[in-house]
Amino acid sequence: MTASSTSALPRFSRIVGTGSHLPSQRLSNTDLARELAERGIQTSDEWIVERTGIRARHFADAGVVCSDLAVAAARAALQAAGREAAAIDLIIVATSTPDMVFPSTACIVQQKLGVHGCPAFDVQAVCSGFIYALAVADALIRTGSARCALVIGSEVFSRLLDFNDRTTCVLFGDGAGAVVLEASNEPGLLASELHADGRHVGILCTPGTVAGGKAIGDPLLKMDGPAVFKLAVGVLEDAARAVLAKAGKTEADIDFLIPHQANIRIMQSTARKLKLGADKLVVTVDEHGNTSAASIPLALDVAVRDGRIRRGHRLLLEGVGGGFTWGAVLLEF
Ligand code: UT7
């Protein structure tokens, strides 16, 4: 990574291609409820749909790792952008389910894409990870440190799930989404907002770690769902208003809201507060479940590929998750 001269600095970073990938194994709520019943855990399609909006999720087969999903999404984004992997000079992967403790999944993605030398690193901000990664890539592009970045959200969250805990295991899924972000003098990312409040570390966490050759502590996901719900609803509205103000825009300027896909009730509440109709809310939580850092780029790619999102549309992307972390990006597609 080398800094270019100030005169050559681009005004914006801009998304020039999107891609995504879902593992082939799709489990409907009914499929999952049947598997859980065999363990003596009771749930139902009705409960899951009513409380979350989730109808299905995808789980990666054993042996499929985070970087596999990330590379598939990255290749799709590169193809959509009409760029070769060799054009990439920065790789950021947002994930909480990396292939290894180290090296980063981004370095493994770089190796699998067959490119070498450019900086590659992971961002760990749980479900806000893609928003954090996009904001970091934007800053590196606008300061001349990179010109063409791959920004990826990729997760195999199924690996962290406790299938004896019905309050969490029905919520999450696996997948990846990616964008190619390039230096541009046309808009572009207009503004971003990133936040964290470490006082809430304990309400959503996977508290295990690796030490002395063993997994130490509990390596399964824990969540106080109602506490997360309450915090999420508040911070998402605040972040939306802050990022709009920063860009000198109002809610009337938003063509599509692409929030983190955790719970349809949280997403609809944000849309209502911003006075956005249902047609402006991109929803994939029904088919993907909560894919953590992958959920926003997955939803973005779905809406780009089905023709809803077109060049010039203004998009509000919002993430919230463990940490507690949250953030928003306003961009012109
Ligand atoms: O990705 C990061 C961000 N994460 C989120 O945004 C998640 C935020 N939280 C949520 O989405 C919701 O809090 C949940 C979907 C996790 C839970 O929904 P809720 O409406 O807050 O339900 P609850 O936790 O208050 O539980 C209500 C009832 C309880 O039974 P009782 O105590 O009322 O008898 C639970 O035991 O629902 C029960 N329950 C279930 N029942 C059937 C909890 N999980 C299930 C289940 N199936 N899977």
Side-chain angles (χ1 to χ4, degrees):
M1 184 157 76
T2 48
S4 11
S5 71
T6 317
S7 59
L9 292 182
R11 291 186 58 213
F12 297 100
S13 71
R14 181 167 166 263
I15 294 176
V16 293
T18 68
S20 61
H21 180 75
L22 289 164
S24 56
Q25 191 194 158
R26 176 185 181 275
L27 262 90
S28 69
N29 290 343
T30 308
D31 297 332
L32 184 59
R34 197 180 305 120
E35 287 188 13
L36 294 176
E38 285 168 21
R39 295 166 171 261
I41 307 292
Q42 300 308 315
T43 189
S44 64
D45 177 53
E46 292 70 30
W47 190 95
I48 303 169
V49 172
E50 190 193 310
R51 300 292 176 121
T52 71
I54 297 168
R55 294 180 184 278
R57 74 285 295 139
H58 291 247
F59 284 164
D61 289 336
V64 173
V65 290
C66 180
S67 63
D68 295 326
L69 306 184
V71 165
R75 287 197 201 286
L78 285 165
Q79 191 176 33
R83 304 289 186 272
E84 297 294 328
I88 296 300
D89 62 7
L90 170 67
I91 300 174
I92 307 181
V93 176
T95 188
S96 299
T97 49
D99 292 13
M100 304 180 190
V101 173
F102 71 82
S104 69
T105 301
C107 285
I108 300 168
V109 166
Q110 191 201 54
Q111 184 239 330
K112 288 183 178 176
L113 288 175
V115 292
H116 312 287
C118 73
F121 58 92
D122 289 359
V123 162
Q124 221 288 34
V126 203
C127 304
S128 312
F130 185 75
I131 297 295
Y132 269 61
L134 205 53
V136 170
D138 172 61
L140 288 172
I141 286 174
R142 283 188 300 103
T143 50
S145 296
R147 288 201 63 81
C148 185
L150 253 179
V151 185
I152 306 170
S154 184
E155 302 280 15
V156 280
F157 243 65
S158 57
R159 307 279 155 76
L160 302 180
L161 298 179
D162 178 353
F163 289 98
N164 292 311
D165 176 8
R166 68 177 182 171
T167 69
T168 54
C169 73
V170 301
L171 305 177
F172 294 90
D174 301 338
V179 301
V180 177
L181 193 71
E182 251 180 25
S184 167
N185 286 321
E186 309 294 319
L189 257 81
L190 304 176
S192 61
E193 276 283 313
L194 300 179
H195 296 278
D197 186 343
R199 287 175 300 179
H200 305 293
V201 160
I203 62 171
L204 175 48
C205 57
T206 297
T209 188
V210 175
K214 296 191 199 101
I216 303 289
D218 190 340
L220 296 174
L221 182 144
K222 317 276 168 232
M223 179 166 73
D224 177 347
V228 172
F229 192 105
K230 207 169 144 210
L231 272 172
V233 166
V235 298
L236 287 173
E237 182 184 8
D238 294 347
R241 298 206 183 284
V243 82
L244 285 168
K246 218 181 229 180
K249 305 286 181 201
T250 71
E251 50 215 39
D253 295 312
I254 302 171
D255 292 303
F256 288 98
L257 171 63
I258 309 181
H260 170 48
Q261 310 278 318
N263 187 316
I264 190 72
R265 292 184 289 143
I266 299 176
M267 295 159 59
Q268 288 170 340
S269 150
T270 309
R272 255 193 317 273
K273 287 175 180 171
L274 298 175
K275 300 189 184 67
L276 301 175
D279 57 328
K280 294 196 166 189
L281 178 63
V282 177
V283 177
T284 52
V285 70
D286 52 342
E287 270 299 310
H288 301 172
N290 179 346
T291 56
S292 192
S295 89
I296 295 169
L298 259 165
L300 171 65
D301 187 50
V302 165
V304 168
R305 283 174 195 262
D306 69 21
R308 265 177 293 171
I309 293 178
R310 294 187 302 277
R311 285 282 160 227
H313 278 146
R314 270 194 216 101
L315 313 181
L316 176 61
L317 278 45
E318 286 206 283
V320 60
F324 206 67
T325 55
W326 66 99
V329 165
L330 186 71
L331 64 88
E332 203 164 299
F333 190 71

